[in-house]
C-alpha cells in the first residue's frame, strides 16, 4: 500500500525526550536530529545507555507512562507523530512503521501457530480475507528464505531455532509493506553465520519493497554492511552524522575516533598495535558535564573552551555529504596522528604443555521423544566427538564455532561440571576427565577457573563485591585470617584495575564492564593456571570490550595463565589468540596458529565463518559466502562429514565421499590440521576471504 509521498520518510528535528521519576526529570535524549529519505538505511550507533532505543520508542510513540517528548518534532511522511490521536497512531503502527526487536521470542505469541500470527497483520490492517492473508503469509515466509514454508506456518515458535524465529519477526514486520522499518539490535542474539544471512535478507527485502530503515546497533561492521548513512550517538546526543564513507574514512569527532580505536580491525595486534580503550565512564543522564558531554573522556579537551558553554552545537563539515560534527575543535585536530601513550608489549613465548585433551568424547542419552513427553527408546546426542588438542602456559587458544557446536560442553567437562564419556583430559599429566567437581581437590579447582558470558548472572546480588572475592579466597584456602584475605582481595581489585572503594559496593551499583572485572578477579583468586573465558566480552559495549580484553592479556602476561577463549567474534579472536580451534557439530574441523587459520587454505566451514564476520573498515573486500540452513541437530547428525549438508565445496569431492565417511585429520603444515576430504590441489586454489584494498 504505497502512496505518492516523495519527501523524507522520517524527519526528527531537535528532539528531546525525558523520563520523569519522583525525584527528578532525567533527560534521555537532547537536541537530536536525523532524516531518513525514501529507500535509505540509516544506522544509529553508540554505547548502551546513549539513547538509541529511546529514539526508536519516541518514533513509535511508545515511551510508557513516565516518558515524554519535551522538545522538537518527529515527522513521518510530513505529519507530526506527536500531534496524532491514538487511533491515527494505531493505523500507522504495524502497517506503515514496523519495528523488529532484539529478542525474537518476545515478539511472538508462544501459544499461537506462526501462520495465524502472520495472517493477523493483513487481516487487521488491510481487511484481507483469510485466504488472501494465508497466501500473503506464505509469500513472505518464502521471501525470508525459510525452508518448507507450509510446515513453518503450521509450527509453534518454540519449534524453530533463534535464527528462524528472527526471520519470522522480520516477515511479520514486512507483511504490511511498511514505509519505515526500525531494527533494534536485530541480530545480537544470533550466531555470526545466521547474522550474515539475516543482514543479507534485510538488505534484499529493503530493496525489493523500497523500505526505508533505521538500523540501531553497537556493531560498526554491521552498520557498514547494511546502511547508507550513519549517526553516532553519545550520552543522549548525536555527535556525528554523515554518509558511511565520510564518517568511517574522514571521522570528525573524538568519540567516533575513540570507538574505532577500541575495536579490533585488521592489522590490530595485541602486542605491536594494541587496542585503545576509552578512559573513564559514561556519564549518567542527570550528571552530564557542562559543555561537551564527551569532554571528561576526550584526548583533545580544552578547559574553559570545551566546557565554557552550556551546549555544543552541530557544525557542518564542508565538502562532504550532509556531514555534521558536535565538536568545537574538529578543524584543528590531526585526525591521522597515531594514538598517544600506546604501550607495545613483548610477545610472550608459550611455555610447557599444561593441558592435553586426547580423543575426548561427551555423549548424552535422551529419550527419543523427550521433546513431546513420554518415555520409550533413548537417543544419543554426540556433543563432543574425538576432541584432541594441547594448550601451553602463557598461550591463548581460541575456540570458535556456532551455537550447538559443542564449545560449552567441552568447557563443562574440563571444569568438572560434567564427566567425559571417553578419552582423557590431562592437567599437568594428571587425568581429570572422570572426576566431577565435588570430588576434585582444592588445588585442581583453583587451577581451572571460568569467566562467564554474562557478568550479571554470576554475582550474588545480596553480597558486596569484596565479600564475594573473599569467599572465593576462603574456598581456595588462601590466607590464615580474614585480614590476610582482605589484603589479597584488595590486591585483586588493583589487578583488575577497580578502585579499592568498590570492595564495599553491591553488584547493582556497578556497570556491566565493572561486573565482568569482578568476575575476572574472582577467577584469578586462587592463582588460576587455566582460565576458560566463555564469550567474556560479548555482553559488553565495544569501548568496554577493549579494556576487558586488554586486562585479560595483562594478567596472562604477569601470571603465565593459559587462556581458553570461547567466542564467535572472529575479529577479537584474530586480535588476541595465539592459536585457533574451529568446531562444528562436536568435531574439531580446523586447528592451527592464528595466521594459519586466517589465511587460505581453510576448512570450508572456517572460510564461511570468516566471510560472515562484519568488519568496520571500508577498505575490506570480502568473498561473499552465506551458509544456507542451520547446524544439524547433534541428536540426528548427517552421515559422513558433519559439514556436508551446508558445504559449497562438496561437489569437488568425487565418489560421494562426503556423504559416506567422516574425513580423517590431515596436517597441511607444521601445527595446522583440518578434517576435510578436499584434495590438496583444490585446497591450493582457495582464495583469501578477506582482502584489504590498497590505499
Amino acid at each position: 500500500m504505497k502512496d505518492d509521498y516523495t519527501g523524507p520518510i522520517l524527519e526528527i528535528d531537535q528532539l528531546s525526550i525525558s523520563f520523569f521519576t519522583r525525584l527528578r526529570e532525567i533527560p534521555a535524549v537532547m537536541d537530536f536530529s536525523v532524516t531518513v529519505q525514501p529507500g535509505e538505511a540509516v544506522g544509529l550507533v553508540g554505547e548502551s545507555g546513549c539513547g538509541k532505543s529511546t529514539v526508536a520508542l519516541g518514533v513509535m510513540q511508545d515511551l510508557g507512562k513516565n516518558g515524554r517528548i519535551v522538545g522538537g518534532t518527529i515527522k513521518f511522511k510530513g505529519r507530526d507523530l506527536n500531534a496524532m490521536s491514538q487511533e491515527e497512531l494505531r493505523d500507522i503502527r504495524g502497517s506503515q512503521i514496523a519495528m523488529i526487536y532484539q529478542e525474537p521470542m518476545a515478539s511472538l505469541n508462544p501459544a499461537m501457530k506462526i501462520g495465524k500470527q502472520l495472517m493477523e497483520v493483513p487481516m487487521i490492517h488491510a481487511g484481507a480475507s483469510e485466504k488472501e492473508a494465508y497466501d500473503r503469509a506464505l509469500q513472505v515466509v518464502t521471501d525470508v528464505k525459510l525452508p518448507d514454508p507450509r510446515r513453518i506456518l503450521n509450527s509453534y515458535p518454540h519449534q524453530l531455532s533463534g535464527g528462524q524465529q528472527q526471520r519470522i519477526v522480520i516477515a511479520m514486520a514486512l507483511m504490511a509493506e511498511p514505509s519505515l522499518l526500525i531494527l533494534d539490535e536485530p541480530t545480537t542474539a544470533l550466531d555470526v553465520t545466521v547474522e550474515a544471512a539475516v543482514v543479507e535478507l534485510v538488505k534484499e527485502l529493503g530493496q525489493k519493497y523500497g523500505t526505508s530503515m533505521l538500523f540501531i546497533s553497537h556493531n560498526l561492521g554491521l552498520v557498514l554492511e547494511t546502511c547508507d548513512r550513519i549517526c553516532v550517538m553519545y550520552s543522549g546526543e548525536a555527535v556525528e552524522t554523515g554518509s558511511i564513507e565520510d564518517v568511517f574514512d574522514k571521522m570528525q569527532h573524538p568519540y567516533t575516533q575513540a570507538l574505532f580505536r577500541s575495536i579490533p580491525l585488521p592489522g590490530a595486534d595485541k602486542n605491536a598495535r594494541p587496542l585503545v580503550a576509552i578512559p573513564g565512564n559514561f556519564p549518567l543522564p542527570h550528571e552530564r558535564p557542562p559543555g561537551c558531554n564527551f569532554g571528561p573522556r576526550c584526548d583533545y579537551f580544552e578547559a574553559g573552551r570545551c566546557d565554557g558553554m552550556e551546549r555544543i552545537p552541530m557544525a557542518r563539515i564542508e565538502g562532504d555529504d550532509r556531514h555534521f560534527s558536535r565538536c568545537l575543535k574538529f578543524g584543528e585536530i590531526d585526525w591521522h596522528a597515531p594514538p598517544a601513550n600506546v604501550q607495545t608489549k613483548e610477545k610472550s613465548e608459550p611455555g610447557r604443555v599444561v593441558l592435553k585433551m586426547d580423543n575426548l568424547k561427551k555423549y548424552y542419552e535422551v529419550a527419543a521423544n523427550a521433546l513431546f513427553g513420554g518415555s520409550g527408546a533413548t537417543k544419543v546426542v554426540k556433543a563432543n566427538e574425538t576432541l584432541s588438542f594441547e594448550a601451553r602456559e602463557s598461550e591463548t587458544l581460541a575456540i570458535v564455532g556456532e551455537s550447538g557446536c559443542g564449545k560449552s560442553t567441552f568447557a563443562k567437562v574440563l571444569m568438572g561440571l560434567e564427566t567425559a564419556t571417553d578419552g582423557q583430559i590431562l592437567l599437568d599429566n594428571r587425568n581429570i576427565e572422570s572426576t566431577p567437581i565435588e570430588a576434585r581437590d582444592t588445588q585442581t579447582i583453583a587451577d581451572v577457573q571460568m569467566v562467564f558470558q554474562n557478568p550479571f548472572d554470576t554475582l550474588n546480588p545480596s553480597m558486596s563485591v569484596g565479600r564475594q572475592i573473599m569467599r572465593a579466597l576462603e574456598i581456595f584456602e588462601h590466607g590464615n585470617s580474614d585480614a590476610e584475605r582482605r589484603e589479597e582481595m584488595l590486591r585483586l581489585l588493583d589487578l583488575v584495575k577497580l578502585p579499592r572503594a568498590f570492595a564495599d559496593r553491591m553488584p547493582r551499583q556497578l556497570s556491566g564492564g565493572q561486573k565482568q572485572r569482578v568476575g575476572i578477579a574472582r577467577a584469578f583468586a586462587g592463582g588460576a593456571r587455566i582460565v576458560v573465558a566463555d564469550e567474556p566480552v560479548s555482553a559488553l559495549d565495544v569501548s568496554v570490550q577493549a579494556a576487558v580484553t586488554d586486562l585479560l592479556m595483562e594478567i596472562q602476561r604477569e601470571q603465565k595463565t593459559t587462556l581458553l577463549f570461547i567466542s564467535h567474534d572472529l575479529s577479537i579472536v584474530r586480535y588476541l589468540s595465539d592459536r585457533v580451534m574451529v568446531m562444528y557439530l562436536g568435531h574439531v574441523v580446523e586447528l592451527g596458529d592464528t595466521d594459519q587459520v586466517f589465511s587460505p587454505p581453510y576448512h570450508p566451514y572456517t572460510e564461511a565463518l570468516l566471510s560472515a564476520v562484519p568488519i568496520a573498515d571500508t577498505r575490506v573486500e570480502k568473498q561473499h559466502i552465506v551458509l544456507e540452513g542451520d547446524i544439524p541437530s547433534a541428536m540426528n547428525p548427517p552421515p559422513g562429514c558433519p559439514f556436508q549438508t551446508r558445504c559449497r565445496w562438496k561437489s569437488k569431492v568425487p565418489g560421494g565421499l562426503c556423504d559416506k565417511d567422516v574425513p580423517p585429520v590431515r596436517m597441511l603444515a607444521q601445527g595446522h590440521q583440518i578434517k576435510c576430504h578436499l584434495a590438496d590441489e583444490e585446497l591450493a586454489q582457495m582464495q583469501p576471504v578477506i582482502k584489504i584494498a590498497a590505499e
Side-chain angles (χ1 to χ4, degrees):
M1 194 171 64
K2 295 278 177 252
D3 48 31
D4 302 325
Y5 181 79
T6 54
I9 296 294
L10 182 69
E11 277 176 288
I12 301 178
D13 188 33
Q14 307 264 302
L15 176 70
S16 294
I17 296 174
S18 288
F19 290 92
F20 293 85
T21 67
R22 281 176 304 188
L23 291 176
R24 58 170 77 88
E25 174 187 347
I26 297 175
V29 172
M30 300 162 306
D31 182 27
F32 178 83
S33 301
V34 75
T35 303
V36 184
Q37 300 291 348
E40 190 171 66
V42 176
L44 205 52
V45 299
E47 295 168 272
S48 307
C50 72
K52 306 185 298 285
S53 297
T54 306
V55 168
L57 294 172
V59 174
M60 297 302 281
Q61 295 288 307
D62 185 20
L63 290 165
K65 281 198 178 82
N66 62 345
R68 268 211 309 278
I69 292 174
V70 293
T73 55
I74 305 175
K75 288 183 180 170
F76 173 70
K77 294 188 175 179
R79 296 172 64 200
D80 187 348
L81 288 170
N82 213 21
M84 287 187 190
S85 67
Q86 283 302 315
E87 206 168 314
E88 288 174 302
L89 285 170
R90 255 198 308 274
D91 282 347
I92 283 181
R93 281 191 204 122
S95 62
Q96 295 198 51
I97 304 178
M99 186 157 173
I100 296 169
Y101 295 90
Q102 186 166 349
E103 189 47 75
M105 252 332 241
S107 309
L108 296 171
N109 182 336
M112 203 179 195
K113 287 187 174 172
I114 297 291
K116 197 153 186 246
Q117 297 191 50
L118 287 171
M119 288 162 64
E120 278 187 342
V121 181
M123 288 166 79
I124 290 168
H125 287 295
S129 70
E130 206 162 313
K131 164 104 180 56
E132 288 167 342
Y134 183 82
D135 292 344
R136 178 93 185 94
L138 199 59
Q139 173 61 47
V140 283
V141 171
T142 311
D143 276 352
V144 297
K145 301 197 167 91
L146 280 166
D148 195 357
R150 287 180 195 277
R151 181 185 65 78
I152 295 273
L153 290 180
N154 203 33
S155 302
Y156 286 99
H158 70 266
Q159 293 171 309
L160 309 182
S161 71
Q164 289 175 331
Q165 287 171 2
Q166 192 61 292
R167 284 165 188 248
I168 289 298
V169 173
I170 291 170
M172 200 181 284
L174 292 167
M175 283 295 283
E177 297 192 17
S179 306
L180 176 68
L181 189 55
I182 301 172
L183 301 106
D184 189 359
E185 301 269 14
T187 58
T188 305
L190 305 178
D191 272 315
V192 64
T193 47
V194 182
E195 176 179 84
V198 167
V199 164
E200 178 79 5
L201 175 73
V202 166
K203 271 162 58 180
E204 272 177 33
L205 296 172
Q207 285 159 358
K208 176 176 175 179
Y209 292 111
T211 311
S212 304
M213 288 191 273
L214 189 61
F215 193 98
I216 296 170
S217 181
H218 64 266
N219 185 328
L220 288 158
L222 268 187
V223 168
L224 169 66
E225 293 191 0
T226 44
C227 299
D228 311 299
R229 300 182 60 73
I230 182 173
C231 172
V232 182
M233 283 187 82
Y234 181 79
S235 189
E237 296 178 321
V239 293
E240 184 166 8
T241 63
S243 69
I244 291 286
E245 289 74 21
D246 286 342
V247 175
F248 276 58
D249 298 338
K250 296 185 282 182
M251 59 195 72
Q252 296 288 314
H253 194 281
Y255 176 60
T256 314
Q257 184 187 52
L259 267 185
F260 275 92
R261 283 179 172 173
S262 66
I263 56 176
L265 296 173
D269 177 289
K270 65 180 176 185
N271 299 309
R273 285 186 57 193
L275 301 181
V276 183
I278 304 176
N281 288 318
F282 202 73
L284 292 169
H286 56 283
E287 293 175 355
R288 292 189 175 107
C292 175
N293 279 341
F294 188 59
R297 305 174 75 188
C298 179
D299 290 344
Y300 311 105
F301 179 76
E302 193 180 315
R305 183 177 172 195
C306 298
D307 55 2
M309 54 203 294
E310 194 181 329
R311 303 295 300 281
I312 310 284
M314 282 293 246
R316 190 184 186 95
I317 314 291
E318 287 304 316
D320 288 351
D321 172 25
R322 290 180 283 151
H323 190 181
F324 293 85
S325 171
R326 196 183 293 275
C327 177
L328 295 174
K329 301 180 68 174
F330 69 81
E332 305 157 30
I333 293 169
D334 177 1
W335 296 102
H336 299 291
N341 308 325
V342 174
Q343 296 174 332
T344 56
K345 309 281 194 310
E346 282 294 309
K347 186 177 188 301
S348 54
E349 287 304 315
R352 61 191 182 80
V353 173
V354 182
L355 179 72
K356 186 174 168 79
M357 290 219 178
D358 201 12
N359 286 329
L360 180 79
K361 293 183 182 179
K362 178 59 187 171
Y363 295 172
Y364 294 97
E365 274 199 6
V366 294
N369 54 357
L371 287 176
F372 307 104
S375 58
T378 58
K379 276 198 117 170
V380 173
V381 176
K382 297 182 176 183
N384 287 150
E385 264 298 14
T386 58
L387 218 62
S388 298
F389 69 88
E390 292 178 346
R392 298 171 184 278
E393 202 174 68
S394 297
E395 178 180 58
T396 303
L397 172 66
I399 296 130
V400 299
E402 293 165 284
S403 307
C405 72
K407 308 188 294 285
S408 296
T409 301
F410 121 76
K412 283 178 189 165
V413 177
L414 175 59
M415 299 295 298
L417 301 171
E418 301 276 1
T419 51
T421 307
D422 196 9
Q424 53 180 354
I425 302 176
L426 295 167
L427 173 66
D428 292 328
N429 285 327
R430 283 178 295 129
N431 284 70
I432 58 167
E433 70 281 342
S434 304
T435 317
I437 193 155
E438 58 272 19
R440 289 187 178 182
D441 61 71
T442 306
Q443 190 54 52
T444 306
I445 292 172
D447 277 349
V448 187
Q449 282 293 302
M450 195 156 183
V451 177
F452 295 90
Q453 177 169 1
N454 197 339
F456 307 92
D457 295 342
T458 55
L459 298 179
N460 183 335
S462 58
M463 202 185 265
S464 73
V465 164
R467 189 77 212 106
Q468 300 201 41
I469 298 173
M470 284 171 71
R471 177 100 184 79
L473 290 166
E474 278 170 31
I475 291 167
F476 299 143
E477 297 172 0
H478 181 95
N480 298 318
S481 66
D482 254 15
E484 278 183 32
R485 283 190 279 271
R486 184 167 176 81
E487 199 44 52
E488 177 62 11
M489 176 268 290
L490 293 172
R491 193 194 67 77
L492 284 163
L493 286 179
D494 295 342
L495 182 72
V496 296
K497 296 187 168 57
L498 283 176
R500 289 187 164 201
F502 274 38
D504 301 320
R505 290 201 182 178
M506 303 303 276
R508 66 174 182 276
Q509 296 170 291
L510 272 54
S511 69
Q514 289 166 343
K515 283 182 186 156
Q516 194 59 294
R517 284 165 187 257
V518 176
I520 292 169
R522 210 170 46 176
F524 282 95
R529 309 268 311 288
I530 297 169
V531 170
V532 182
D534 188 358
E535 302 269 13
V537 294
S538 63
L540 307 176
D541 276 315
V542 283
S543 56
V544 184
Q545 279 185 9
V548 172
T549 38
D550 196 38
L551 174 70
L552 278 170
M553 295 294 98
E554 201 171 309
I555 296 174
Q556 181 186 42
R557 278 188 199 98
E558 273 180 34
Q559 311 211 349
K560 297 191 167 9
T561 320
T562 305
L563 196 62
L564 300 182
F565 192 87
I566 298 175
S567 181
H568 66 266
D569 182 343
L570 287 172
S571 301
I572 259 183
V573 163
R574 184 175 203 161
Y575 170 69
L576 61 77
S577 62
D578 302 305
R579 288 193 306 138
V580 181
M581 180 164 95
V582 183
M583 287 186 71
Y584 186 83
L585 205 60
H587 292 259
V588 176
V589 294
E590 184 160 10
L591 175 63
D593 69 42
T594 307
D595 289 340
Q596 289 170 333
V597 172
F598 276 80
S599 47
Y602 321 96
H603 186 279
Y605 178 56
T606 310
E607 180 190 50
L609 277 182
L610 288 172
S611 162
V613 178
I615 300 172
D617 191 332
T618 54
R619 299 168 305 150
V620 165
E621 294 168 3
K622 285 198 302 186
Q623 261 195 71
H624 193 66
I625 307 161
V626 172
L627 284 183
E628 297 296 327
D630 294 314
I631 280 200
S633 162
M635 201 189 290
N636 192 15
C641 172
F643 187 57
Q644 53 108 341
T645 55
R646 301 165 82 194
C647 182
R648 71 186 192 124
W649 291 82
K650 185 177 163 185
S651 59
K652 308 262 187 192
V653 177
L657 204 56
C658 299
D659 295 324
K660 293 186 297 210
D661 300 330
V662 174
V665 173
R666 292 159 58 191
M667 293 304 264
L668 296 183
Q670 181 65 39
H672 187 196
Q673 63 180 57
I674 69 168
K675 232 181 205 183
C676 184
H677 286 303
L678 276 173
D680 287 350
E681 49 271 23
E682 292 290 353
L683 286 168
Q685 287 173 17
M686 275 193 173
Q687 296 299 309
V689 173
I690 298 167
K691 284 186 191 155
I692 297 183
E695 291 280 328

